[in-house]
Amino acid sequence: MALSHAASRSNLLKPLVSGFSYSSSLRRSISSAADNSSSLTIETSVPFTAHKCDEPSRSVETNPKELLGFFRDMALMRRMEIAADSLYKAKLIRGFCHLYDGQEAVAVGMEAAITKKDAIITAYRDHCTFLGRGGTLLEIFAELMGRQAGCSRGKGGSMHFYKKDACFYGGHGIVGAQVPLGCGVAFAQKYSKDETVTFALYGDGAANQGQLFEALNISALWDLPVILVCENNHYGMGTAEWRAAKSPAYYKRGDYVPGLKVDGMDALAVKQACKFAKEHALKNGPIILEMDTYRYHGHSMSDPGSTYRTRDEISGVRQERDPIERIRKLIISYDLATEKELKDIEKEVRKEVDEAIAQAKENPLPDPSELFTNVYVKGFGTESFGADRKELRAVLP
Amino acid sequence: MVSILRRSPKLLSSICRRQFSASSDGNLTSHGGKSMNLYSAINQALHIALETDPRSYVFGEDVGFGGVFRCTTGLVDRYGKDRVFNTPLCEQGIVGFGIGLAAMGNRAIAEIQFADYIYPAFDQIVNEAAKFRYRSGNQFNCGGLTIRAPYGAVGHGGHYHSQSPEAFFCHVPGIKVVIPRSPYQAKGLLLSCIRDQNPVVFFEPKLLYRLAVEEVPEDDFMLPLSEAEVIREGSDITLVGWGAQLSVMEQACIDAEKDGISCELIDLRTLMPWDKETVEASVKKTGRLLISHEAPVTGGFGAEISASIVERCFLRLEAPVSRVCGLDTPFPLVFEPFYMPTKNKILDAIKATVKY
Ligand SMILES: Cc1ncc(C[n+]2csc(CCOP(=O)(O)OP(=O)(O)O)c2C)c(N)n1
Ligand SMILES: [Mg+2]
């Protein structure tokens, strides 16, 4: 059978910084840098690889404010995920919990290229995407702990974050299912002619689901303004990409749909690609962006993440490609802030996270009657009593 | 992933406190053999299936690594990766592939990682597997197909790691639905399912993978399909259930006994086609029936049992048939204890039915 494979061809390690263009070496203090929007041009360290389209330029326009913003946002995401890990171990978070640390550049780079009128839909690894859309830490931790102040009123948990006012369509548990949904959202966007697009995110494992191919076909057939973003972190649970995919070149898997392979550990490259993809999608219909990224944590909280990959591989990626370190180095090398100032930012976000957790812990659980609401438009109109009381029959509305 | 079995202590206490019983008199009888938990029993059954039939195959997401619940540990080392292999993440493809493999005269043993993820394969099961024999006038069949999937609540699994979808499949003539309650049952029933000449969906109670421990003979044995088992005899009321729910029901029986109510407890084991005779005989004796399952009450398999037994035992019934089941809501995250058919809910219903 065709099931035997050559040994893993791990190609995860690529240089962190190949060559910054040291065109402007300006010495600024953090505050003056922050209001300074003078533009910088930075070269991505890895070229884009294109399928059936031209690739965007490797020179990315940015400015000090944006870079410091990237640093802060990613540091916050990282801290938040580490805190979620501890809360899970303390049994304050129950259910399934999938962390995003390592992949932060995808969330911040994408946001930098689009507006909150553009839609995002993703799978269960959704905490940071939600934060990127403008969600608050309290909403996040409260939802993780199943409290009233959570973004889904405590009824969804880790895998089900949503934010309607920022066009974040969530938070989906069934692998691959969110992608055709994204096509439907994009169809509605096209109809309303407001020049918005949908980013539908999925993993390298999800890329093998039949629904993906259905979504590709209909989005191309109907010229939908949808960007299929494959967050390739190289594993679907314990399965390395090459064990599950005949062709792990996910950006090419749309065949007739153009695609772009992007260094997903480089927020600037992600930004450039998303900007390019949005323009493309509005003009020509769907495009695939394969984000080459990495998750540091195991798949979910019960996976130590070390049985199917080596510790060397993980620490190698941390050292060579970490998205936060990349931006830190850029900021330092352009003299936009000092090491100490960046450390202070990290302390600040730590405090923010701790405060949000304290607040979330004080927040009450949803009222038990919520068990029966939102099943249909009208609630069931029943009350529930404690687990040890005889059940009440729910009456259909 | 297996850590989801660390259920909240309050909910689990009733199950942990006692030995798991598998015998007809409610005591732990010795079947001989090694004491083992449910996932090891499944693992042993799979070993035997592969060992005894060179045309048997095990496949599914991550099964080559032992699977999320360790049920397929060691199989690939023993039987090779041509017979035990990982599939991509594609449930519809997994089952469709299994149907074709089985149609060529092989035993295709497919794993769906969680019963919650069987829905992408629903079409293949309902439209392809179930009707293959019928619509080809018996030229083709996929009787060698067995689909294993862990089902049920574990304490905090939330919406997509907790569901009990058995009733959907009981609505499909052409497939069998089997659910074991203990390690011994799991091994014997799984081997029967694998060797049965009809496609079978075999739901494994994931709560019990590690929790339930009993003696299981090491050798190759099978337990009959479509035969319910009376696991506790009684005279006042008949309780019918399957899988993990039986241990909850058994606790309720023990508590009811303290109040002088004698309960008969039946493990249906095969839900489709089910053993009406055993349930009927019991209800004719007790005059009362209670059914309990985790799946939502409306349209659950309890409804079918209730209707059939009312048809057969109408004049012998002393009270309406009682159903203590999951509520008609999605499986909740924070409200699991409210949703579940707990021991006390069952106990209340036993008393109300006996007093009716
Ligand atoms: C239909 C379905 N099958 C299986 C699962 C179990 N499952 C959850 S995540 C996952 C792996 C997905 O990997 P990938 O798409 O690469 O996303 P990542 O977790 O790496 O972000 C699996 C098998 C599921 N949630 N839904
Ligand atoms: Mg992945």
Side-chain angles (χ1 to χ4, degrees):
Chain A
M1 295 180 81
L3 292 162
S4 48
H5 286 275
S8 168
R9 312 167 281 251
S10 177
N11 188 23
L12 298 169
L13 301 183
K14 274 171 232 117
L16 177 60
V17 179
S18 65
F20 294 138
S21 52
Y22 284 91
S23 50
S24 60
S25 91
L26 310 161
R27 168 71 220 175
R28 292 188 182 88
S29 77
I30 189 166
S31 51
S32 65
D35 21 76
N36 195 321
S37 50
S38 69
S39 88
L40 300 167
T41 305
I42 290 165
E43 196 87 347
T44 64
S45 54
V46 181
F48 299 103
T49 323
H51 167 70
K52 296 209 169 145
C53 64
D54 299 326
E55 62 257 33
S57 160
R58 282 178 70 179
S59 306
V60 189
E61 291 287 308
T62 182
N63 58 55
K65 189 172 167 208
E66 181 173 76
L67 289 177
L68 284 160
F70 282 173
F71 181 82
R72 188 173 206 288
D73 290 349
M74 289 197 288
L76 184 61
M77 289 172 179
R78 179 76 51 94
R79 183 64 215 156
M80 179 180 94
E81 293 297 61
I82 308 280
D85 180 312
S86 318
L87 289 171
Y88 196 92
K89 287 177 178 140
K91 289 201 177 351
L92 280 157
I93 299 174
R94 311 307 309 272
F96 280 70
C97 182
H98 308 79
L99 303 179
Y100 198 71
D101 49 323
Q103 304 184 205
E104 296 93 342
V106 178
V108 301
M110 186 168 60
E111 286 296 348
I114 64 176
T115 77
K116 300 287 187 283
K117 289 217 171 91
D118 293 311
I120 299 180
I121 188 165
T122 187
Y124 41 82
R125 207 177 290 287
D126 59 355
H127 309 165
C128 296
T129 316
F130 175 80
L131 191 70
R133 292 265 89 180
T136 67
L137 288 170
L138 176 62
E139 287 171 305
I140 289 171
F141 285 111
E143 190 59 40
L144 286 172
M145 294 191 248
R147 309 300 169 106
Q148 280 181 12
C151 53
S152 304
R153 308 218 319 276
K155 293 172 82 165
S158 162
M159 306 205 292
H160 308 289
F161 286 13
Y162 303 85
K163 188 167 171 56
K164 195 171 181 197
D165 59 11
C167 296
F168 180 44
Y169 287 83
H172 296 257
I174 299 304
V175 169
Q178 73 278 11
V179 183
L181 266 66
C183 297
V185 173
F187 183 90
Q189 285 174 322
K190 184 172 178 173
Y191 230 88
S192 67
K193 296 202 169 74
D194 56 4
E195 300 287 292
T196 55
V197 299
T198 296
F199 285 76
L201 280 67
Y202 58 99
D204 48 296
N208 301 315
Q209 279 281 21
Q211 302 207 39
L212 252 297
F213 299 90
E214 301 176 24
L216 273 164
N217 183 47
I218 61 175
S219 60
L221 192 62
W222 299 330
D223 282 334
L224 302 181
V226 62
I227 294 109
L228 306 184
V229 183
C230 178
E231 288 188 88
N232 182 5
N233 58 16
H234 304 278
Y235 297 91
M237 289 183 75
T239 304
E241 53 179 351
W242 59 268
R243 290 180 190 272
K246 180 68 189 169
S247 161
Y250 299 99
Y251 68 106
K252 287 189 194 163
R253 289 192 54 188
D255 179 15
Y256 42 81
V257 172
L260 197 64
K261 184 168 178 176
V262 183
D263 179 3
M265 303 298 265
D266 177 352
L268 289 169
V270 173
K271 178 182 110 167
Q272 188 84 332
C274 290
K275 210 167 134 242
F276 172 84
K278 179 174 171 177
E279 281 162 20
H280 174 98
L282 285 172
K283 259 195 265 142
N284 314 305
I287 178 167
I288 297 180
L289 295 181
E290 177 186 345
M291 302 290 182
D292 179 356
T293 183
Y294 201 77
R295 68 164 152 73
Y296 293 149
H297 261 92
H299 168 72
S300 69
M301 296 311 301
S302 45
D303 167 23
S306 52
T307 51
Y308 47 84
R309 53 185 192 177
T310 61
R311 292 201 183 276
D312 284 353
E313 178 184 301
I314 306 167
S315 61
V317 174
R318 274 187 192 278
Q319 271 159 33
E320 308 283 330
R321 299 180 62 208
D322 185 82
I324 302 180
E325 293 314 307
R326 175 193 295 274
I327 298 295
R328 190 197 306 273
K329 282 187 190 143
L330 268 177
I331 290 173
I332 302 288
S333 67
Y334 279 93
D335 277 343
L336 306 178
T338 62
E339 295 263 15
K340 157 112 187 18
E341 285 165 331
L342 295 183
K343 282 254 160 12
D344 287 345
I345 293 179
E346 287 174 303
K347 268 190 217 143
E348 235 171 79
V349 301
R350 204 185 178 103
K351 206 168 136 241
E352 268 175 55
V353 166
D354 291 346
E355 281 167 9
I357 292 173
Q359 246 181 308
K361 281 182 181 164
E362 295 304 312
N363 199 252
L365 290 169
D367 190 84
S369 64
E370 288 276 359
L371 174 54
F372 298 104
T373 60
N374 312 132
V375 182
Y376 294 99
V377 175
K378 276 175 75 180
F380 276 114
T382 46
E383 291 173 87
S384 60
F385 295 99
D388 290 344
R389 295 281 299 276
K390 188 172 179 341
E391 100 186 72
L392 279 185
R393 288 272 151 83
V395 184
L396 288 174
Chain B
M1 189 71 71
V2 279
S3 73
I4 61 162
L5 291 181
R6 271 183 248 121
R7 205 185 196 193
S8 76
K10 207 166 101 214
L11 282 167
L12 258 191
S13 55
S14 69
I15 296 162
C16 293
R17 250 187 279 120
R18 58 195 196 83
Q19 289 281 46
F20 199 85
S21 75
S23 64
S24 41
D25 59 4
N27 297 319
L28 189 82
T29 41
S30 158
H31 302 288
K34 255 184 28 203
S35 167
M36 70 176 72
N37 61 22
L38 199 143
Y39 87 72
S40 309
I42 298 274
N43 183 252
Q44 220 177 58
L46 294 172
H47 267 283
I48 292 171
L50 289 163
E51 185 74 53
T52 52
D53 186 349
R55 296 187 68 181
S56 51
Y57 301 85
V58 170
F59 51 92
E61 292 160 20
D62 284 359
V63 298
F65 307 136
V68 163
F69 293 102
R70 315 310 306 151
C71 292
T72 54
T73 307
L75 297 178
V76 75
D77 304 332
R78 186 81 177 270
Y79 305 100
K81 55 181 189 294
D82 289 347
R83 292 182 62 205
V84 179
F85 45 89
N86 292 334
T87 62
L89 213 173
C90 54
E91 289 75 9
Q92 187 174 19
I94 293 170
V95 172
F97 168 86
I99 295 170
L101 185 62
M104 296 291 284
N106 301 294
R107 307 227 168 273
I109 309 165
E111 177 177 299
I112 298 293
Q113 200 171 63
F114 282 84
D116 310 68
Y117 310 145
I118 204 165
Y119 298 112
F122 197 58
D123 176 62
Q124 286 289 348
I125 298 171
V126 175
N127 282 328
E128 300 304 323
K131 304 169 179 45
F132 206 0
R133 190 188 296 275
Y134 190 82
R135 68 174 190 267
S136 68
N138 207 27
Q139 291 179 74
F140 285 106
N141 71 82
C142 57
L145 175 68
T146 303
I147 301 164
R148 302 174 38 244
Y151 86 97
V154 291
H156 63 115
H159 315 294
Y160 297 120
H161 296 92
S162 308
Q163 298 175 73
S164 298
E166 70 274 4
F168 291 109
F169 300 93
C170 294
H171 200 54
V172 186
I175 53 172
K176 294 190 175 183
V177 179
V178 178
I179 307 181
R181 70 171 185 276
S182 73
Y184 172 77
Q185 295 288 323
K187 179 173 173 185
L189 289 171
L190 180 55
L191 278 166
S192 295
C193 291
I194 291 170
R195 293 163 180 169
D196 192 81
Q197 308 223 346
N198 299 283
V200 185
V201 180
F202 187 80
F203 288 117
E204 300 168 4
K206 61 179 176 287
L207 174 66
L208 303 183
Y209 272 138
R210 279 157 192 273
L211 276 179
V213 177
E214 73 181 337
E215 281 178 10
V216 181
E218 301 264 346
D219 58 341
D220 185 348
F221 70 93
M222 298 199 282
L223 293 172
L225 301 185
S226 292
E227 265 185 40
E229 186 186 355
V230 178
I231 55 178
R232 185 186 168 91
E233 285 184 19
S235 52
D236 296 331
I237 182 168
T238 301
L239 277 69
V240 176
W242 48 87
Q245 188 59 10
L246 284 166
S247 67
V248 181
M249 297 168 81
E250 192 177 44
Q251 285 296 304
C253 293
I254 291 167
D255 284 11
E257 195 165 35
K258 291 178 197 147
D259 289 328
I261 302 172
S262 161
C263 303
E264 181 144 307
L265 180 60
I266 298 179
D267 177 2
L268 207 54
R269 301 199 286 189
T270 301
L271 276 70
M272 184 71 184
W274 63 289
D275 179 1
K276 289 184 190 154
E277 287 66 33
T278 299
V279 180
E280 178 184 351
S282 174
V283 175
K284 284 203 165 137
K285 179 175 78 175
T286 62
R288 297 174 188 91
L289 174 63
L290 180 152
I291 306 143
S292 182
H293 54 68
E294 283 180 24
V297 60
T298 300
F301 197 61
E304 178 57 37
I305 299 174
S306 171
S308 299
I309 293 303
V310 169
E311 257 169 36
R312 291 174 172 229
C313 309
F314 186 65
L315 294 175
R316 306 294 279 265
L317 283 171
E318 316 250 1
V321 176
S322 173
R323 286 178 292 160
V324 184
C325 303
L327 303 181
D328 285 328
T329 70
F331 196 99
L333 177 66
V334 281
F335 301 116
E336 180 169 327
F338 296 88
Y339 170 92
M340 291 292 282
T342 54
K343 180 194 76 176
N344 284 355
K345 288 182 187 173
I346 298 171
L347 189 59
D348 272 357
I350 291 175
K351 289 181 186 164
T353 306
V354 170
K355 271 197 231 123
Y356 184 81

